[in-house]
């Protein structure tokens, strides 16, 4: 897989998954066909799900994070179309948001199947957004929407399932390395929260690994980061990666960096911190974002070692694509490789910034149509 290696273009409008198995099974076998059952099941060369069967009711895919909810209907080729983005806070739950989406595109509302990717664990009968107020029952949502089949999956599992189908224009490589064909691929991304997932290739299809890696313990790489985490530990019983390396964590990181570096930290929103850092007119915000990128690089290197992600590590979410060249010049890649005896191993693994605006919808489409497997 190749991508433009010259610079990371700044994409202020790029929005991906905000953050981020089975009782009952979120991907029931009765609703899934194995690749190879029919030559029409999956068009691997075109990178698209199987075409819709005639006579089927509409199929919906969604990517719901802590801040934004993205919706689409699958077209005749099984790809997301009529994409709309709604604010999670504007609706009491997913059913109401789906009603609003269908009304916005003037669709009849006769849905047959849906795949909904959510920034939270999805293995329980009652689902609660980790960084949002939505809480709902899987059974009641399916009944409320009149669905023959409802698939719930983690938002970063959906993002991971999109990886084999992204084109060169959807990715920008940062640093060296070459992806190994069909080797495991890992993805992580800071949005409202911090999502982590991976895919492995097995018996003709990509399988997504569902997890909550954004909540693993964050480790320092030097004395300065140890001091930052030392202050965080005074306030939090557990300092996970998401506590600092996410949109919701940026204000805390801003305050901690200011305290350790001896600068005054203004009370700023995550968007303001990023904007000031990119414009390079605020030394404090610049230091915060540079620290953010460096620590994210260490976390990405840990993920690559854990998964054996020789197919590449992909950075999604809503924050990193907005950084443009600042991310390219940051310590992210150096810290990704800085693993002592395994530095050479990591130097061979490519890292990419995901530029596609709604990749999780594409991954959800592949999960729904059976081209790939859900958690």
């Amino acid at each position: 897989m190749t991508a433009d290696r010259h610079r990371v273009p700044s994409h202020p409008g790029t929005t991906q998954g905000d953050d981020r198995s089975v009782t009952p099974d979120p991907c029931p076998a009765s609703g899934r066909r194995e690749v190879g059952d029919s030559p029409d099941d999956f068009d691997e060369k075109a990178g698209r799900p199987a075409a819709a069967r005639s006579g089927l009711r509409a199929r919906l895919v969604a990517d719901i994070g802590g801040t934004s909810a993205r919706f689409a209907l699958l077209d005749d080729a099984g790809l997301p179309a009529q994409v709309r983005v709604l604010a999670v806070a504007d609706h009491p739950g997913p059913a109401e948001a789906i009603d609003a989406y269908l009304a916005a595109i003037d669709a009849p509302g006769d849905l047959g199947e849906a795949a909904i990717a959510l920034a939270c664990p999805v293995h329980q009968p009652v689902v609660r957004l980790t960084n949002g107020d939505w809480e709902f029952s899987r059974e009641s949502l399916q009944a409320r929407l009149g669905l023959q089949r409802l698939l719930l999956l983690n938002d970063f599992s959906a993002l991971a399932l999109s990886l084999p189908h992204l084109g060169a224009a959807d990715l920008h490589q940062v640093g060296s390395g070459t992806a190994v064909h069909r080797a495991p691929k890992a993805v992580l991304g800071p949005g409202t929260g911090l999502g982590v997932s991976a895919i492995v290739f097995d018996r003709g299809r990509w399988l997504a690994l569902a997890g909550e890696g954004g909540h693993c313990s964050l480790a320092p790489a030097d004395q300065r980061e140890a001091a930052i985490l030392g202050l965080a530990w005074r306030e939090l019983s557990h300092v996970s990666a998401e506590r600092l390396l996410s949109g919701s964590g940026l204000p805390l990181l801003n305050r901690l960096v200011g305290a350790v570096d001896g600068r005054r930290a203004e009370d700023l929103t995550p968007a303001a911190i990023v904007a000031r850092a990119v414009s390079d007119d605020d030394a404090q915000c610049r230091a915060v974002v540079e620290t953010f990128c460096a620590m994210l690089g260490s976390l990405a290197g840990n993920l690559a070692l854990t998964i054996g992600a020789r197919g590449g590590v992909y950075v999604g979410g809503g924050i990193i694509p907005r950084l443009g060249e600042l991310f390219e010049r940051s310590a992210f890649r150096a810290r990704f490789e800085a693993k002592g005896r395994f530095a050479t191993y990591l130097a061979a693994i490519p890292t990419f910034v995901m530029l596609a605006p709604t990749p999780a919808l594409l991954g959800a489409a592949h999960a729904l149509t059976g081209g790939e497997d859900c958690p």
Side-chain angles (χ1 to χ4, degrees):
M1 189 174 292
T2 59
D4 170 30
R5 303 189 183 196
H6 299 297
R7 67 182 187 89
V8 178
S10 180
H11 285 251
T14 300
T15 54
Q16 300 169 359
D18 289 282
D19 313 280
R20 5 319 96 258
S21 180
V22 184
T23 314
D25 184 357
C27 192
S30 60
R32 196 167 63 211
R33 288 169 287 104
E34 295 295 321
V35 172
D37 287 350
S38 164
D40 296 326
D41 277 348
F42 180 70
D43 183 351
E44 184 173 0
K45 184 175 181 181
R48 64 182 59 189
R53 271 53 169 178
S54 61
L56 284 181
R57 295 155 65 193
R59 295 179 294 175
L60 177 135
V61 290
D63 171 26
I64 298 172
T67 301
S68 299
R70 299 164 183 83
F71 299 98
L73 295 181
L74 299 191
D75 63 17
D76 289 341
L79 297 174
Q82 303 184 78
V83 177
R84 298 290 187 277
V85 182
L86 305 181
V88 169
D90 288 347
H91 306 278
E96 293 81 3
I98 290 170
D99 288 343
Y101 163 70
L102 294 174
I105 64 170
D106 197 24
D110 184 24
L111 299 176
E113 298 180 334
I116 301 178
L118 297 136
C120 61
V122 296
H123 62 284
Q124 296 293 340
V126 175
V127 177
R128 299 175 180 86
L129 284 182
T130 301
N131 293 296
D133 294 331
W134 286 5
E135 177 178 322
F136 63 94
S137 158
R138 174 196 305 273
E139 182 178 352
S140 63
L141 180 62
Q142 182 168 357
R144 165 73 167 72
L145 297 175
L147 297 170
Q148 296 170 332
R149 178 175 175 236
L150 173 62
L151 167 63
L152 302 183
L153 63 162
N154 179 266
D155 61 336
F156 265 73
S157 295
L159 197 64
L161 288 174
S162 77
L163 296 179
H165 313 294
L166 298 179
D170 299 321
L171 301 167
H172 170 77
Q173 185 166 348
V174 175
S176 60
T178 301
V180 175
H181 182 57
R182 291 183 175 174
K185 302 174 185 288
V187 60
L188 75 167
T192 303
L194 177 65
V196 175
S197 188
I199 51 172
V200 295
F201 194 79
D202 179 62
R203 289 174 288 186
R205 65 169 58 200
W206 288 98
L207 309 178
L209 306 179
E212 292 295 331
H215 301 284
C216 66
S217 300
L218 187 61
D222 54 36
Q223 290 299 319
R224 177 174 173 272
E225 289 182 4
I228 291 171
L229 287 174
L231 294 177
W233 289 326
R234 296 181 185 178
E235 302 183 25
L236 302 166
S237 60
H238 175 235
V239 181
S240 68
E242 183 176 281
R243 289 294 195 177
L244 299 183
L245 305 183
S246 65
S248 60
L250 266 175
L252 175 58
L253 183 61
N254 179 39
R255 181 159 51 83
L256 299 179
V257 167
V260 169
D261 291 350
R263 280 188 299 267
R264 176 178 172 272
E266 296 181 49
D267 186 11
L268 300 172
T269 65
I273 294 169
V274 170
R276 290 191 183 190
V278 171
S279 64
D280 200 18
D281 59 1
D282 188 310
Q284 167 64 13
C285 290
R286 187 72 170 218
V288 171
V289 170
E290 287 176 347
T291 302
F292 184 100
C293 294
M295 297 180 83
L296 188 68
S298 290
L299 185 68
N302 290 342
L303 179 60
L305 289 174
T306 302
I307 300 298
R310 296 191 301 135
V313 174
Y314 299 76
V315 184
I319 294 177
I320 299 304
R322 288 180 166 84
L323 298 182
E325 293 184 355
L326 177 56
F327 187 72
E328 178 94 14
R329 297 193 300 267
S330 76
F332 171 84
R333 180 68 195 192
R335 289 282 292 272
F336 175 82
E337 297 181 13
K339 301 295 182 185
R341 293 173 294 170
F342 276 77
T344 301
Y345 178 91
L346 287 167
I349 295 177
T351 50
F352 300 94
V353 176
M354 301 175 67
L355 302 177
T358 55
L361 294 180
L362 178 61
H366 281 277
L368 185 63
T369 58
E372 316 295 1
D373 212 349
C374 65

